[in-house]
């Protein structure tokens, strides 16, 4: 099994798209949102074994405890400064959609 440790704003969607195309979508579990992250934590080992790959916003230590040393773990890192801009844009859009601030600040 492949376990993708999904760091926010570090090409996670692109990696998940490649996994879905390569392994077939039904064989890939993407636990991206907070509610989806509960899935790998609560699913039985038998249910999880049906997947060839899992992508999750979860710490490595927790994933290692859940899937053991036989899984292949990988992640994508991004230069921190380049990662800050997309994070800021996403945060601003989230705040604007909640009515907390204006999206266009000019």
């Amino acid at each position: 099994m492949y376990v993708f440790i999904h760091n926010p704003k570090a090409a996670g969607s692109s990696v998940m798209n490649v996994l879905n195309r390569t392994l077939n979508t039904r064989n890939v579990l993407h636990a991206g949102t907070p509610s989806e992250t509960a899935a790998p934590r609560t699913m039985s080992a038998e249910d999880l074994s049906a997947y060839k790959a899992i992508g999750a916003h979860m710490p490595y230590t927790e994933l290692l405890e859940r899937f053991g040393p036989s899984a292949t773990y990988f992640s994508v890192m991004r230069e921190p400064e380049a990662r800050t801009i997309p994070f800021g844009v996403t945060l601003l859009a989230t705040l604007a959609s909640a009515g907390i601030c204006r999206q266009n600040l000019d």
Side-chain angles (χ1 to χ4, degrees), residues 1 18 20 42 49 52 61-63 70 76-77 80 95:
M1 172 179 297
V18 169
N20 285 328
T42 59
S49 70
K52 293 181 180 177
T61 52
E62 187 174 344
L63 291 166
S70 63
V76 174
M77 300 301 291
L95 294 173

Side-chain angles (χ1 to χ4, degrees), residues 1-5 52-54 60 67-75:
M1 172 179 297
Y2 296 100
V3 179
F4 171 55
I5 303 165
K52 293 181 180 177
I54 294 176
Y60 168 73
F67 300 106
S70 63
T72 300
Y73 298 87
F74 69 102
S75 188

Side-chain angles (χ1 to χ4, degrees), residues 20-21 36 72 78 91 104:
N20 285 328
R21 284 194 315 265
E36 292 170 338
T72 300
R78 207 168 158 189
L91 178 61
N104 186 352

Side-chain angles (χ1 to χ4, degrees), residues 5-89:
I5 303 165
H6 187 170
N7 294 306
K9 302 300 163 208
S13 296
S14 297
V15 171
M16 291 306 298
N17 286 337
V18 169
L19 289 172
N20 285 328
R21 284 194 315 265
T22 305
L23 301 174
N24 191 323
T25 302
R26 72 175 183 272
N27 294 320
V28 179
L29 173 63
H30 183 211
T33 66
S35 61
E36 292 170 338
T37 300
R41 291 181 171 126
T42 59
M43 292 174 71
S44 71
E46 183 180 344
D47 288 341
L48 288 171
S49 70
Y51 295 97
K52 293 181 180 177
I54 294 176
H57 288 282
M58 294 169 63
Y60 168 73
T61 52
E62 187 174 344
L63 291 166
L64 180 62
E65 184 178 298
R66 184 73 174 130
F67 300 106
S70 63
T72 300
Y73 298 87
F74 69 102
S75 188
V76 174
M77 300 301 291
R78 207 168 158 189
E79 195 274 321
E81 188 175 312
R83 193 173 157 219
T84 302
I85 294 169
F87 175 76
V89 170

